[in-house]
Amino acid sequence: MNGQGATLENDGECQLTVIITTLNEEASIEECIRRVVAVLPEQSELLVVDGGHDRTGEIVMALADELPVVRYIRNENDRGKGHAVHVAIAASSGRLLVQIDADLQFLPEEIPRLIEPIQSGRADIVLGSRFTRGSIRRPGSTTFFRSFGNWLTSLYASVLFGRRMTDVLAGMKAWTREVTAQTKLACETCSYDAELPVKAVRSGFRILDVPVTTDARHGGQSAIHVVRDGWRILKDITLFRLALR
Ligand SMILES: Nc1nc2c(ncn2[C@@H]2O[C@H](COP(=O)(O)OP(=O)(O)O)[C@@H](O)[C@H]2O)c(=O)[nH]1
Ligand SMILES: [Mg+2]
């Protein structure tokens, strides 16, 4: 079941797809795209799947004219972050995939460190963890309440799936194409963040946490409602364990 690692090769095929989902991220999207593009290896693509109604689309389309690796996908009937990721995966061609949030809470400069364990054959999926030894949380990055919710959710998922994961809701992760080819993603909401790692573990893929740096949001607003979405995620993790989703 486990992959053999995904060393990036210069063989003419697309090696890496970076996915950014956006819901009204006009304040940060240009800087985010430029910083991602600056660390992309050759033969990469950057897909932005947008479901918002601000100037994000306009900004990304202008950048796509300037930077050929960038592709804008308008997700007309956007049903949530998970739905946008499904659309991106279907449109992608990389052997390795990375998803990073648009709000610059996670640093694009850390993408090379995130994909290293996959390239060296040590993991099939890697989570950028805010809550492990070596993680740096800059002021304003995660409130106490959300840190507690993340800790609880990660602990619950770790116990249910028998594998310690320190940040199952990480907004920055990497995986091989094989993982999403063999893992049926069903959640169209923010539960996607937990669904991908726990279903990968359920399917026998090797998962690793890499400590990352997190910052405060660069403008815009979080789409998450802590209590409503927190309960929904805990309920969905339970359903994943029971294989009901
Ligand atoms: N297309 C799409 N993107 C979304 C949606 N909700 C959130 N996002 C994007 O997913 C990323 C994470 O969302 P965010 O609100 O920052 O979540 P938080 O970091 O958990 O507070 C950001 O890039 C958002 O713009 C959605 O409904 N549709
Ligand atoms: Mg965020």
Side-chain angles (χ1 to χ4, degrees), residues 21-23 25 78 80 84 101-103 105 146 217 222-224:
T21 60
T22 53
L23 186 73
E25 300 288 8
D78 191 90
D101 289 349
D103 55 11
Q105 285 200 273
R146 284 196 65 164
R217 222 178 197 285
S222 169
I224 298 291

Side-chain angles (χ1 to χ4, degrees), residues 50-51 53 74-80 83-84 87 188:
D50 179 35
H53 298 283
R74 173 74 200 152
N75 200 21
E76 210 47 70
N77 297 308
D78 191 90
R79 294 192 288 270
H83 181 230
V87 168
E188 296 188 320

Side-chain angles (χ1 to χ4, degrees), residues 155-167:
L155 186 66
Y156 183 61
S158 302
V159 169
L160 284 193
F161 289 86
R163 179 73 180 78
R164 186 71 181 115
M165 294 167 276
T166 57
D167 193 0

Side-chain angles (χ1 to χ4, degrees), residues 22-31 33-34 48-64 72-74 102 220:
T22 53
L23 186 73
N24 305 331
E25 300 288 8
E26 64 183 13
S28 58
I29 191 64
E30 175 161 4
E31 184 182 341
I33 288 176
R34 290 195 185 280
V48 180
V49 183
D50 179 35
H53 298 283
D54 68 353
R55 289 185 55 252
T56 302
E58 224 176 282
I59 295 167
V60 180
M61 281 189 276
L63 281 168
Y72 176 72
I73 301 175
R74 173 74 200 152

Side-chain angles (χ1 to χ4, degrees), residues 115-180:
I115 62 178
E116 191 283 324
I118 300 180
Q119 291 180 279
S120 62
R122 291 185 292 126
D124 305 301
I125 173 165
V126 179
L127 305 178
S129 175
R130 295 162 287 185
F131 307 106
T132 190
R133 189 186 304 227
S135 309
I136 299 170
R137 289 190 301 283
R138 292 183 181 158
S141 58
T142 319
T143 62
F144 173 79
F145 191 43
R146 284 196 65 164
S147 297
F148 178 73
N150 279 322
W151 173 80
L152 192 70
T153 309
S154 297
L155 186 66
Y156 183 61
S158 302
V159 169
L160 284 193
F161 289 86
R163 179 73 180 78
R164 186 71 181 115
M165 294 167 276
T166 57
D167 193 0
V168 283
L169 301 176
M172 176 171 170
K173 36 195 168 287
W175 64 92
T176 63
R177 176 160 294 281
E178 203 188 355
V179 170
T180 34

